[in-house]
Amino acid sequence: MSAPGCSQAIVPQCQSRGMAHASRGLSVVELMVGLAVGMFIAAAALLSSVNLTESTRRVLLEARLNQDLRATMDMVTRHLRRAGYWGNAQAGARDSAGAAVNYGATGYAAVSPATAAASAVTLRIAQDADDSAESDEAVEFRLATDAQGTGRLQVRLAGATTYQDLTDPAITNVTDFSVEPQPAPAVTLSCPGACGSGSLPACPTLQVRRYRVSLSAQASFDPAVQRTLQATVRLRNDELSGACP
């Protein structure tokens, strides 16, 4: 059967035109639509990859920042918890059978800050069993800022003359360090004999000491990554004032 409108003489030509029309390629419009869809899919895949990379980088920064802060906070709280340790503490708890040594006079009891929050803390931990705190028994933690404005927490250990960085400025920019006393009422102790009447001295008192430590920092490469740690520390060595007569 010949194509409509074709005579027997030109049937081969009509069939050739019909086959060419049926097997033609993509039009310009179809090609442009295909390219647009492909570019859209590629852009979505690229954006997803970028977001995944950024999320991974942020997680790594947070992990490194957390690790640096936790290690620093652990060192500060461990030393603060031992503040006021005195190698001859039993000498300050004698009864009327012997003269007691005044704990406050030894110098070990003093912890700075004593009343208000501060960005540095100084304490003493005895290295011997005598009754006097020496300068080489002092430990200090402080917040310092370098010329580039990066904050770092530093420590000067007992016997040292210089400060050492506890935080890594390449990772951590410390923005706040605060040590705040949490005062508690002193408890009056009883003595075997009378005290606080007439010419006798007042009864000794014992005070439980607590400090709240706050440490805030941000990642050095991304200030948007920020962390804050807080801890409440009770000193193991309560402050004993006075002595039984």
Side-chain angles (χ1 to χ4, degrees):
M1 180 181 292
S2 62
C6 292
S7 62
Q8 288 293 83
I10 59 175
V11 166
Q13 296 180 2
C14 289
Q15 290 178 344
S16 177
R17 288 198 301 269
M19 293 175 62
H21 179 76
S23 62
R24 66 183 179 84
L26 294 174
S27 67
V28 175
V29 174
E30 291 172 334
L31 181 61
M32 293 181 65
V33 170
L35 288 175
V37 172
M39 291 178 63
F40 178 79
I41 295 175
L46 180 61
L47 181 62
S48 177
S49 177
V50 170
N51 290 338
L52 180 61
T53 302
E54 177 64 20
S55 177
T56 302
R57 185 187 70 87
R58 189 180 183 89
V59 169
L60 289 175
L61 284 176
E62 290 177 351
R64 296 174 67 184
L65 181 63
N66 276 331
Q67 182 179 8
D68 205 22
L69 287 184
R70 288 186 182 281
T72 301
M73 178 66 84
D74 182 63
M75 186 171 185
V76 173
T77 54
R78 280 192 293 111
H79 279 78
L80 186 58
R81 192 172 289 114
R82 297 180 60 216
Y85 168 73
W86 174 27
N88 195 28
Q90 68 277 5
R94 295 177 181 172
D95 56 19
S96 57
V101 178
N102 188 317
Y103 178 49
T106 64
Y108 291 113
V111 178
S112 177
T115 56
S119 60
V121 56
T122 303
L123 54 98
R124 285 174 172 78
I125 301 174
Q127 306 296 318
D128 49 43
D130 63 17
D131 299 331
S132 179
E134 288 84 19
S135 58
D136 61 356
E137 293 176 316
V139 178
E140 182 177 354
F141 295 92
R142 70 176 186 180
L143 175 61
T145 305
D146 59 21
Q148 289 73 37
T150 302
R152 58 186 72 192
L153 198 65
Q154 297 181 324
V155 61
R156 182 173 60 83
L157 295 173
T161 57
T162 58
Y163 290 89
Q164 297 179 346
D165 289 341
L166 283 178
T167 54
D168 185 355
I171 300 174
T172 306
N173 177 19
V174 181
T175 56
D176 179 69
F177 174 63
S178 175
V179 182
E180 182 180 4
Q182 304 289 298
V187 178
T188 302
L189 304 179
S190 59
C191 291
C195 59
S197 60
S199 60
L200 296 176
C203 293
T205 60
L206 189 70
Q207 185 174 28
V208 175
R209 295 181 289 178
R210 289 186 177 87
Y211 282 81
R212 183 170 60 197
V213 183
S214 300
L215 182 61
S216 300
Q218 60 189 24
S220 298
F221 290 106
D222 188 355
V225 180
Q226 302 178 358
R227 285 292 180 271
T228 297
L229 296 182
Q230 288 188 339
T232 299
V233 180
R234 176 187 171 179
L235 275 60
R236 293 173 179 168
N237 304 285
D238 300 329
E239 187 171 7
L240 176 65
S241 301
C244 291

